[in-house]
Structure formats: structure tokens, C-alpha cells
């Protein structure tokens, strides 16, 4: 899909343009000439896809449709932050069209779960998952679902969203199909995306003062072999053999045989997020072993040379799980409940993390909370509990349990 | 590198901005606010890379540097043409920095040859290769080299370029390094790119009235198995087995077992540029064979079922070579020589293709030729010949042999 959206196309769906127009970059001139119609640099591509759908969708046989693209989008941000909020960012945006509301809802939830599974199982980041309130949902969406991670400073990071548009865009763009009873129907749409913001989440959730700490599954270098006293006879040979053994087992391994000191190499490997380092020196070789050191815990393991591959594989598996567990413990221990406004305000001030509080469903309470505390509603979890009967803000009868928090 | 270039950055190198400013899209507003400085949507990224180089290049030890990115760029075109000329296009742009002019020149030629080899060996497109005249070179470059393909209508298509910038950008941006004698030196740069325009070249050079014809090496579907009388006992089974045999041999194969007629399937496979189709029906199965049909020549080959993989591989190799040979013959038979202006003008009118003609080296002759005939200088070939002593335009002593032609 193209980079530019003509202003008239962006304006087709009322809620969508209202949400995005204030934050788009406008192209007004081509060379020396003023354009007859302004073009916005895509902040997201729903309107472009809709313009395609209206031409290619005619019959129920044409459905469902599923598209995905990786591209840069632009949102004019006043304050930016590396990885978390930048005017231009790379993302993946998926777009689908379905015959029915149910099909669209099913896909919306399916993709949210894909993101949640990926975050947990690959990035080792636990998420809080749920539905956005009307105030926080995507401009033009009927429902927005979100995964929210917790950063070490106690702030929430919206990490991926999935939207059910219902037939709102279809009505605005005239996307209709003939169903199997020969009746004209409006189509139902979804979209979903994650961005390079996830890289920020990985860095913040797992790293420490020594530098990057990366889950083994995504570490570009899983193992770095570091020879000790490498000028001594046979050390470098043995280290290189070890390196090749790891490569042959499809482990992403490197060897640092530069003339830097071992201590310098250790620090560099730590800083760069190498999952495991292997130290091998003359004494190790004599004993037929090496030393494997985990990046996350610094735990040292003596390992027979013939067991290196299986030990590395097992350590990486454990490390991946431990990193998730640590992040999960942090998340779980930074969720607190508030039963009234006093508790709520105190929690925002004193307990970094998510605050669970009941909500009456009125946007006025969300607005008051935001103004008083800067916290916002992050999501209404799928597993609803009634931790209290009253809204944490106004005290009126509560409708929903909400995760609240300060957010990036 | 970012999508936007601040106007002041684009203006840093005088020739570069002169060449590109007339054809860039300008972002002037972010949301409702007018920007203090206009941003252009990158038409190419030299200025962005230079802005990086000046910060990261200090010593000869930092050189060479080599970067590549795939991205969309925007050039404001008045008339557009699918694949060949569009306001936004996807391309690959490589950028390098070197200590010396020689290193830069070597890389410039190396990358031109990479493009030429790729066009010939993978895309089966022969190119005319050489240096651009000063008038036609890239804005800001010291030398531009090009590969030029010939389309069936006799027009040339500039298909890839490689530029040596000398130290011009380095002087404009202050990119200096300390050499091994501790002297401050300006760095030398190159850039080189090909774009989705190559897709246009593939389509135009090889296709025919039946549709796409793609070289087997790049055909997304190399073989389509089409069962004949597929409802007869055993036919579909045998066809599927054949399909799997091909897949197991890493051949990009599909099977069309839809309820369309065989003739329809044949036409569809031809239209989509499937390199080989395999027909298999009851009589073939009885004889233990199938029929393989080449997309380019429609040649039919009877093939024993046990020989399918080797026959397919050999046919694809032959087809790839034959497609190149055909295109090369077309190119060779559409190059004519002109010894004076009368011959030249007549050749442009009557002989579609490249015209070889001597040139005195003055831009006035290029301009006159363009005005009189719309032909332009495409390149000065590396293998120079003196086919005449005089400039084909003005009759003054000739300096260079030039390939001239109308171009897309």
C-alpha cells in the first residue's frame, strides 16, 4: 500500500480521521508546485486497504481476505523516546475482511493471542491482556484489544493491539458483498499490529546495569566462546573446535579470539546480551571441561567438553524460562487492588505498577483519574472479577474490573 | 535511515539539491502546525548517510563502510507508468565510504558488475553497460555508471546505476578521517541502486500475447501439474505423486486439481508465467509417462515418469539460457551505427533500438540531439571503438563512442 493517503480518503470514516488528523504529517508541495489536494503520510493504512476492498470484494466467495505488510508509518509526536515513541516507526499491520461480525471478532481475538503467545514464549515478556475502554480504543474501531507489558519503572507499555471495526469502515467506503442468499451485506473488518516498540520492551524488561540481557531464543549471539590464556599451546585450537561444534549444532555461536583481555571480553559479551559465554583455558582443557556462564544469573557451570551441546541447549531452555518467570514475578508483585479513590490515588503514588479497580463505565471517571493521577485505563481483562461493588472513582455501581496505570 | 530529510540537510551538497529539489514531496505541516523547517520525503538517502558518516568516521581504521537498505523513495513525477516510473517506488540503495578515490572507483565498478551479472544470469536480460555523460549522471556524482536494457518497442530502460561521488559529499558534510600518517583526509563515497523497475523490464523483455513469461530461476511457480480427465481412476493420485516428487526435489511446483477445464488451466498457467506445465492423463499413465510443455517455446516433451525431476531441471536450464539468447539476439539486432547526422536522425526514426554514434564531448550536441529526435545519450561503453573520426552531430573531432536511444 502506498505511503501517501489523499486527505479526502482519510476523511471518509469520521472517527478515524478525528483520531488521526491531529497527528499526521502533511505533504503539501511536489517540487515547486502546491498540490491540489494534501496528502498525509500514512499513520496507519485502514483507509488505503478499504479503497482496495471496495473494488475487489463482491461476493461471499471473495471472503475472508487477509493481508499483512511491514512498513514505516508516521505519527507526529511532540515528545519522542527511542523505540517507544518516535515520529516514524516500523511496524507490521495486518488487515482482514470477513462476512460476519463473529468471524471478524474471532480473528481479532486470534491475532491478539498470537501476539500474547509470541511475547510470552519468544520474548519472555508476560502481558496483561484485555479490552480497551471506548476512550482508549483505536480511532474508528468498534472494539480494541491490547496486550500491556509492565516496565521496571512501574509504567505500562501498550505492546500490541487488535481491532474489530465491525462494519463501520464498510459503510463509510461502500464495501458490500452478495451473500449466499443473494442479499447485499456490508463486510466486517479487523486490523492488528505490533511495532519496533517491542524492542524497547525487551531491552527494558530484561536488561541490567551490565547491559543487554536477551532471551536465548532471540539473542543474535547465543554463545560466545572466550579462550583464556589463548597464547598457550592448544588453547585456541580447542576453543575453535568448541566453536565449530556449537555451529554444527545450529547454535548461534561466536568466538572472541581478539587480543583484548578476558575480563574485557566478558564485559563486552554481557553488554551485548550474549546469552551464554564459555570460558576455556589450559586448566580446563587438562580437565577435559569448560566453564559456561549464564548472562542473566552469572551462574557458572562446569561442563565436560563432550557434553557442551546438550548442556548449552538445556541451559538456554532454563534461562529462557527463568527470564520469563522473573518478569512474571515482577509483574504479579506489581499489581495492587484499590477499593476506593483514596486507596487508588495512594496506590498510583506509592505502588508502581498496575492498579486493579472497579469502574462504572463512564468516561468522566477515566478523565478525572487521568487528570488527578496521570494514570489511564490500560484494559478490561478477559477474566473479570468483582473485587468491589462500586466504581473506584465515583462510587456508583461498578460494571467492569479495569487495570489502571501510568503508561508510556 | 529515516523517511524525512530536513531541507537544510538536503541543501548541503549544491549539485545534489539542484538535481533533486524540483522532484521531491515536501512535508510542511505536522497535524495543524506549520513546521519551522520543511522536510522532504527521501528521494534517495545520500544526505542522510553523510550525516551519519560525519559522526562515525574518524580514522582510516573506520574505513571502508558499507551499508544497504531496502526502502520506498519518492520522486514527484508528472507522468507515471506502472513499474517503470512511479512517484513512490521500492528500491535497494547501497552506500559505501572509502579512504581513497581508487577504492571508491573499484567498488562503483564492482557493484555495476553485480547488477549486470544478476540481470544476465538470473533475469535473462542482456544489458549495455557503460558510463553516463556528465549531462546524464546522478546529481552530485563524479561518475555514474549504468546498465541499460532494450525493450521490445526499441526504447532503452536504465535498469541500475552505480555512482562514484569522489570526495564531493565529504567536503560538503565535513567527512574526514586521519590517515596512517596522521594526516586529515576527506573520505570517498559511492552509492548504487536497483528498483522494482527491474520487474517492468522482466515483464516487457520476456512476455508475449499469452501473458507473462518468466525465466525459470525467478518464476514463483516453476512447474504446474495439470491432470487430464482427472475424474478417471488413478489420475489424480498419480498427478499428486508427481507433484510431491517435484516438491521433494526443491522445485517450486503446484498442482491445479480445480474443476476448470484443462484448456483453461493451460491458459492460466501461461498467463501467470509458470515455466513448465506437466500434463498427465490416463493414456500417459498407461504409458508410464507425462508431457512437459515449455512456456517460452510451447515445445512438448514426452517424459518417462521416473525421469521427471532430471528432465524438468534440464529443461529449466535450457529455457533460462534460451530466453537470454533470444533477448540477446534481439538486442544485438537492434543496435545500428550512424556516421553522420542524417544517418542518425533516420536511424532514430526507422530503426528502433540503440544507435552507436561518435560524440565530441560537448553537451550542446546532446541537447540538440534530444531536441531534434528525443533520443538521449544512454552510455559510453567500456569497450570503446572509433567507428568514425567525427561527432555524429556537429562533425567536430570525436572523443567518445556513445550508445544513443529513446528511453523510458
Amino acid at each position: 500500500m502506498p505511503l501517501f493517503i489523499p486527505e479526502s480518503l482519510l476523511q471518509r470514516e469520521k472517527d478515524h480521521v478525528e483520531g488521526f488528523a491531529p497527528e499526521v504529517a502533511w505533504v503539501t508541495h511536489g517540487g515547486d508546485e502546491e498540490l491540489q489536494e494534501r496528502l498525509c503520510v500514512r499513520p496507519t493504512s485502514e483507509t488505503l486497504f478499504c479503497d482496495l476492498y471496495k473494488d475487489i470484494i463482491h461476493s461471499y466467495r471473495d471472503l475472508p481476505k487477509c493481508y499483512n505488510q511491514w512498513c514505516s508509518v508516521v505519527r507526529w509526536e511532540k515528545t519522542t523516546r527511542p523505540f517507544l515513541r518516535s515520529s516514524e516507526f516500523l511496524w507490521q499491520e495486518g488487515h482482514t475482511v470477513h462476512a460476519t461480525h463473529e468471524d471478524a471478532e474471532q480473528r481479532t481475538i486470534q491475532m491478539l493471542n498470537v501476539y500474547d503467545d509470541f511475547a510470552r514464549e519468544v520474548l519472555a515478556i508476560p502481558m496483561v491482556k484485555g479490552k480497551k475502554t471506548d476512550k482508549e480504543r483505536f480511532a474508528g474501531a468498534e472494539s480494541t484489544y491490547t496486550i500491556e507489558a509492565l516496565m521496571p519503572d512501574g509504567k505500562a507499555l501498550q505492546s500490541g493491539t487488535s481491532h474489530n471495526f465491525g462494519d463501520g469502515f464498510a459503510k463509510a467506503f461502500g464495501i458490500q458483498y452478495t451473500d449466499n442468499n443473494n442479499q447485499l451485506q456490508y463486510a466486517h473488518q479487523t486490523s492488528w499490529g505490533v511495532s519496533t516498540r517491542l524492542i524497547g520492551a525487551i531491552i527494558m524488561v530484561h536488561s541490567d546495569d551490565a547491559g543487554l540481557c536477551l532471551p536465548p531464543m532471540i539473542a543474535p549471539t547465543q554463545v560466545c566462546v572466550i579462550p583464556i590464556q589463548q597464547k598457550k599451546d592448544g588453547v585456541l585450537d580447542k576453543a575453535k573446535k568448541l566453536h565449530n561444534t556449537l555451529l554444527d549444532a545450529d547454535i548461534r555461536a561466536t568466538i572472541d579470539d581478539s587480543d583484548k583481555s578476558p575480563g574485557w571480553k566478558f564485559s563486552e559479551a554481557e553488554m551485548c546480551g550474549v546469552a551464554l559465554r564459555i570460558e576455556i583455558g589450559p586448566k580446563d582443557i587438562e580437565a577435559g571441561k569448560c566453564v559456561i556462564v549464564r548472562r542473566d544469573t552469572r551462574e557458572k557451570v562446569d561442563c565436560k567438553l563432550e557434553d557442551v551441546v546438550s548442556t548449552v541447549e538445556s541451559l538456554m531452555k532454563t534461562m529462557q524460562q527463568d527470564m520469563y518467570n522473573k518478569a512474571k514475578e515482577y509483574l504479579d508483585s506489581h499489581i495492587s487492588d484499590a477499593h476506593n479513590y483514596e486507596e487508588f490515588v495512594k496506590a498510583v503514588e506509592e505502588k508502581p505498577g498496575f492498579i486493579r479497580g472497579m469502574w462504572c463505565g463512564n468516561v468522566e471517571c477515566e478523565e478525572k483519574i487521568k487528570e488527578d493521577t496521570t494514570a489511564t485505563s490500560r484494559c478490561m481483562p478477559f477474566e473479570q472479577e468483582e473485587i468491589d461493588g462500586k466504581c473506584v472513582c465515583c462510587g456508583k455501581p461498578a460494571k467492569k474490573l479495569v487495570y489502571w496505570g501510568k503508561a508510556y
Side-chain angles (χ1 to χ4, degrees), chain A:
Chain A
M1 285 293 153
L3 178 63
F4 297 142
I5 306 174
E7 186 164 14
S8 56
L9 193 64
L10 186 71
Q11 288 174 335
R12 206 75 65 81
E13 208 286 331
K14 190 179 57 64
D15 291 337
H16 189 67
V17 65
E18 245 177 56
F20 281 104
E23 58 179 53
V24 297
W26 289 105
V27 172
T28 59
H29 290 74
D32 289 336
E33 281 176 31
E34 190 169 351
L35 304 184
Q36 291 193 319
E37 179 178 9
R38 299 197 300 176
L39 305 172
C40 88
V41 183
R42 65 180 160 216
T44 178
S45 305
E46 278 75 13
T47 52
L48 296 165
F49 277 95
C50 284
D51 200 40
L52 169 70
Y53 296 155
K54 76 167 177 9
D55 293 331
I56 62 166
I57 292 169
H58 308 289
S59 152
Y60 70 97
R61 287 197 183 87
D62 299 328
L63 300 174
K65 292 274 184 207
C66 182
Y67 296 94
N68 185 62
Q69 68 178 9
W70 282 92
C71 64
S72 270
V73 292
V74 170
R75 296 178 189 177
W76 211 254
E77 301 285 354
K78 299 244 154 85
T79 49
T80 61
R81 207 178 253 272
F83 292 114
L84 301 190
R85 192 171 292 277
S86 46
S87 309
E88 179 190 349
F89 58 92
L90 180 70
W91 81 348
Q92 154 279 315
E93 50 176 325
H95 297 263
T96 67
V97 196
H98 305 269
T100 66
H101 191 276
E102 295 70 45
D103 288 351
E105 183 69 9
Q106 197 180 2
R107 181 65 65 103
T108 311
I109 300 295
Q110 178 197 359
M111 294 316 299
L112 186 77
N113 287 333
V114 166
Y115 293 151
D116 186 42
D117 293 348
F118 175 72
R120 182 179 59 252
E121 284 164 30
V122 179
L123 311 182
I125 301 178
M127 296 282 173
V128 164
K129 195 165 65 169
K131 189 173 178 172
K132 287 283 186 191
T133 62
D134 290 352
K135 178 177 186 298
E136 299 290 332
R137 72 169 181 229
F138 185 84
E142 195 182 284
S143 313
T144 288
Y145 300 93
T146 180
I147 51 172
E148 305 265 331
L150 192 63
M151 299 300 107
D153 60 359
K155 279 193 187 169
L157 185 73
Q158 179 180 305
S159 303
T161 48
S162 188
H163 319 289
N164 185 346
F165 292 113
D167 57 9
F169 273 93
K171 283 179 174 159
F173 283 80
I175 305 162
Q176 287 184 291
Y177 69 93
T178 311
D179 70 14
N180 53 7
N181 295 317
N182 219 24
Q183 301 294 308
L184 215 51
Q185 304 284 358
Y186 284 106
H188 293 75
Q189 290 168 233
T190 82
S191 80
W192 21 276
V194 296
S195 76
T196 42
R197 172 174 263 208
L198 281 178
I199 297 175
I202 296 164
I203 296 170
M204 288 198 290
V205 166
H206 299 302
S207 300
D208 57 27
D209 288 350
L212 266 184
C213 184
L214 298 172
M217 279 176 81
I218 58 162
T221 304
Q222 295 176 311
V223 180
C224 179
V225 178
I226 300 177
I228 314 288
Q229 298 184 272
Q230 65 186 32
K231 283 179 181 162
K232 289 227 169 149
D233 246 13
V235 172
L236 209 51
D237 270 4
K238 209 74 181 175
K240 283 180 181 170
K241 244 179 224 162
L242 195 54
H243 177 220
N244 284 324
T245 305
L246 293 165
L247 290 178
D248 288 345
D250 281 334
I251 292 161
R252 295 188 292 272
T254 57
I255 180 167
D256 188 349
D257 57 0
S258 67
D259 57 4
K260 301 164 194 162
S261 74
W264 206 98
K265 294 177 186 178
F266 296 169
S267 299
E268 191 175 54
E270 288 188 348
M271 191 176 70
C272 297
V274 173
L276 303 173
R277 74 165 182 262
I278 298 188
E279 309 173 4
I280 180 163
K283 282 180 190 166
D284 299 306
I285 293 169
E286 214 172 298
K289 70 166 189 72
C290 61
V291 179
I292 309 181
V293 187
R294 270 172 64 166
R295 169 62 182 89
D296 59 336
T297 56
R298 269 79 164 182
E299 186 193 345
K300 291 190 173 200
V301 178
D302 271 341
C303 174
K304 284 189 195 159
L305 287 177
E306 63 264 34
D307 297 338
V308 159
V309 168
S310 61
T311 309
V312 160
E313 279 169 351
S314 137
L315 282 172
M316 289 202 297
K317 211 169 162 184
T318 312
M319 179 173 163
Q320 177 85 26
Q321 187 61 49
D322 287 355
M323 287 178 72
Y324 175 79
N325 292 347
K326 190 180 164 196
K328 184 74 167 74
E329 268 165 39
Y330 176 82
L331 170 63
D332 289 345
S333 64
H334 287 79
I335 299 174
S336 56
D337 289 0
H339 296 276
N340 56 49
Y341 205 53
E342 197 186 339
E343 276 180 31
F344 187 90
V345 172
K346 211 174 156 199
V348 176
E349 275 169 19
E350 294 174 12
K351 296 181 184 167
F354 289 111
I355 301 155
R356 303 200 313 162
M358 301 303 294
W359 176 53
C360 61
N362 289 322
V363 68
E364 289 77 14
C365 287
E366 284 181 275
E367 282 164 356
K368 179 175 165 53
I369 285 174
K370 187 170 181 183
E371 206 179 303
D372 290 353
T373 68
T374 75
T376 50
S377 70
R378 304 314 309 154
C379 72
M380 301 178 282
F382 289 119
E383 284 89 35
Q384 282 282 317
E385 270 175 75
E386 197 181 73
I387 63 168
D388 207 288
K390 294 171 305 185
C391 174
V392 79
C393 180
C394 68
K396 285 182 193 154
K399 287 190 179 146
K400 286 282 179 188
L401 174 64
V402 170
Y403 277 74
W404 308 84
K406 295 186 184 181
Y408 276 102

